[in-house]
Amino acid sequence: MAGVKVLAESSVVLKSVPSKFNFVNEPTASNSDSIPIIDFSLITSAHPDQRSRVIQELGKACQEWGFFILVNHGIPENDMEAMFEAASEFFNMPAEEKRQYEPKNASDPIKCGNFNVTDTSNQTFTLWRDYLKLYVHPEFHCPLKPEILREALLNYSVKMRKLAGALLEAISETMGLEKSYMEETLNLESMFQLFAANFYPPCPQPDHAIGIPPHTDHGLLTLLIHNGVAGLQVEHNGEWFHVNSPQNSILVNTGDQLEIFSNGRCRSVKHRAVLNNEKTRISIVVANGPSLNTILGPAPPLVARDGRASYLPMKYEEYIESQLTKSRVIGKSLLEQMMIREN
């Protein structure tokens, strides 16, 4: 399990991408000043006018972009830096120590390595990325090394869970529901929380490989931070846009379960991780979903308001398992398969 990091940092200077990574793509995208910025401090504001205004902005961001930049979120900068330090230490560990966490199956609660993807023409390629993925709630799983990881991750995941809960309360309000509606109906006290650290080393041919191909996330909300190196792109109205975020902000995107629950009001949008040939990019991701045993479909009050359900219900655990087994294939997404088409 040498990984992409070892390959990129080897004494052999790479002038081209090894064939197994070959994925011809067009990584170019546009810059936009329109990506919504949400001030979390206004969501918790005691001033009704300020709070009402930001709730409207949040609803618009979820509906139009499915993506927003969160500022003034209250997560200390030291906590973020601790996560980057711990993740870097893990990726710097010898391959022999990380080999025990090579995935035996897709649902292993601790796994690391790199990832193969099969496209619709049945061609398989490897992503230019090393990863560490951990299930951190309702049960907390963490490697024994590096020792600094456990404490940093436990602290960070708890704070991310509280932040995600507060955002979901506000999003409930944007849909005209009680703010506790999602927490109660989706059993968010036992929410399934997935942590991922991604390591993207410089690539000699950024247009001949990819970090993560276009995809949507399976949960409710995904919260992402990065080490200051750009690479995340989001699709909006058929066009790709760079996500250039202020320092210490958190990038938030709505996932498949939130689109289904909202009966289409919130959009789960495609996004991708592209590469560069100069700097290493590290991203820290926390995906937050309902409890695994929740059978999630469109919220009944919203179905009554709309006159019909636009999505089929499915147990969340089964949704994850289905996506994990099919995520190696680029093609029609599971979310698209869950849509109910009008006759």
Side-chain angles (χ1 to χ4, degrees):
M1 193 186 93
V4 183
K5 182 179 185 295
V6 172
L7 176 66
E9 296 177 356
S10 66
S11 58
V12 178
V13 177
L14 289 176
K15 294 183 178 180
S16 62
V17 171
S19 58
K20 73 172 187 175
F21 295 99
N22 195 37
F23 176 79
V24 178
N25 69 94
E26 181 54 61
T28 57
S30 303
N31 291 310
S32 176
D33 296 328
S34 302
I35 295 178
I37 297 178
I38 300 297
D39 187 336
F40 183 74
S41 67
L42 299 182
I43 292 177
T44 57
S45 172
H47 299 283
D49 291 345
Q50 287 184 337
R51 189 174 187 280
S52 175
R53 186 161 55 249
V54 76
I55 291 294
Q56 290 180 0
E57 292 171 357
L58 178 62
K60 185 177 180 182
C62 293
Q63 184 173 20
E64 295 183 0
W65 279 86
F67 201 97
F68 56 90
I69 298 168
L70 191 68
V71 298
N72 297 326
H73 44 68
I75 305 299
E77 183 178 355
N78 288 345
D79 291 347
M80 296 182 176
E81 291 175 350
M83 287 312 309
F84 287 119
E85 181 182 356
S88 296
E89 281 202 25
F90 179 85
F91 290 121
N92 285 330
M93 282 168 39
E96 301 77 43
E97 292 192 45
K98 291 183 284 189
R99 187 168 288 118
Q100 62 182 305
Y101 302 120
E102 284 184 320
K104 309 299 184 295
N105 60 70
S107 60
D108 287 347
I110 301 177
K111 50 185 174 284
C112 70
N114 44 31
F115 201 72
N116 293 329
V117 174
T118 304
D119 62 21
T120 51
S121 61
N122 210 32
Q123 298 295 311
T124 299
F125 59 93
T126 303
L127 302 183
W128 192 269
R129 173 194 68 150
D130 291 339
Y131 72 84
L132 169 65
K133 289 188 177 181
L134 309 171
Y135 294 174
V136 293
H137 196 262
E139 295 181 359
F140 183 80
H141 300 269
C142 185
L144 296 176
K145 294 182 178 180
E147 293 180 1
I148 64 171
L149 177 58
R150 185 177 187 87
E151 183 178 349
L153 178 56
L154 188 56
N155 170 62
Y156 188 74
S157 62
V158 168
K159 290 180 178 178
M160 287 291 107
R161 199 154 58 245
K162 290 179 180 178
L163 181 59
L167 287 170
L168 290 170
E169 286 182 350
I171 292 171
S172 289
E173 290 183 75
T174 71
M175 296 185 285
L177 302 171
E178 293 293 329
K179 72 181 211 175
S180 61
Y181 188 86
M182 263 197 268
E183 180 181 5
E184 294 168 356
T185 58
L186 303 182
N187 191 18
L188 295 186
E189 186 174 329
S190 298
M191 72 160 54
F192 177 69
Q193 193 178 45
L194 168 69
F195 165 85
N198 300 304
F199 186 96
Y200 308 97
C203 178
Q205 292 178 294
D207 56 346
H208 282 69
I210 195 155
I212 305 180
H215 67 286
T216 62
D217 294 343
H218 55 67
L220 293 165
L221 286 179
T222 301
L223 285 70
L224 179 150
I225 60 175
H226 59 77
N227 65 337
V229 178
L232 182 64
Q233 296 178 349
V234 61
E235 189 180 46
H236 178 65
N237 293 335
E239 184 178 354
W240 287 100
F241 290 92
H242 295 292
V243 180
N244 301 314
S245 54
Q247 187 175 2
N248 301 325
S249 62
I250 296 176
L251 308 175
V252 183
N253 67 275
T254 57
D256 293 356
Q257 300 303 300
L258 192 52
E259 178 169 330
I260 293 170
F261 180 85
S262 69
N263 210 30
R265 287 167 174 77
C266 299
R267 295 180 57 204
S268 181
V269 294
K270 287 183 179 178
H271 48 287
R272 65 187 182 187
V274 298
L275 308 167
N276 74 84
N277 59 8
E278 296 180 353
K279 297 180 179 180
T280 292
R281 178 173 183 263
I282 298 176
S283 66
I284 302 292
V285 180
V286 180
N288 305 274
S291 67
L292 289 173
N293 60 7
T294 296
I295 298 175
L296 192 144
L302 302 181
V303 173
R305 200 181 305 166
D306 298 341
R308 61 182 290 270
S310 298
Y311 302 84
L312 297 167
M314 190 177 197
K315 187 177 181 180
Y316 185 45
E317 185 173 25
E318 294 174 359
Y319 192 97
I320 293 175
E321 289 173 355
S322 181
Q323 193 187 57
L324 285 173
T325 55
K326 295 177 182 178
S327 63
R328 296 172 186 260
V329 179
I330 300 175
K332 190 174 183 181
S333 71
L334 181 57
L335 179 63
E336 291 174 304
Q337 297 173 46
M338 300 295 291
M339 293 178 180
I340 302 174
R341 307 295 180 185
E342 289 191 79
N343 296 327

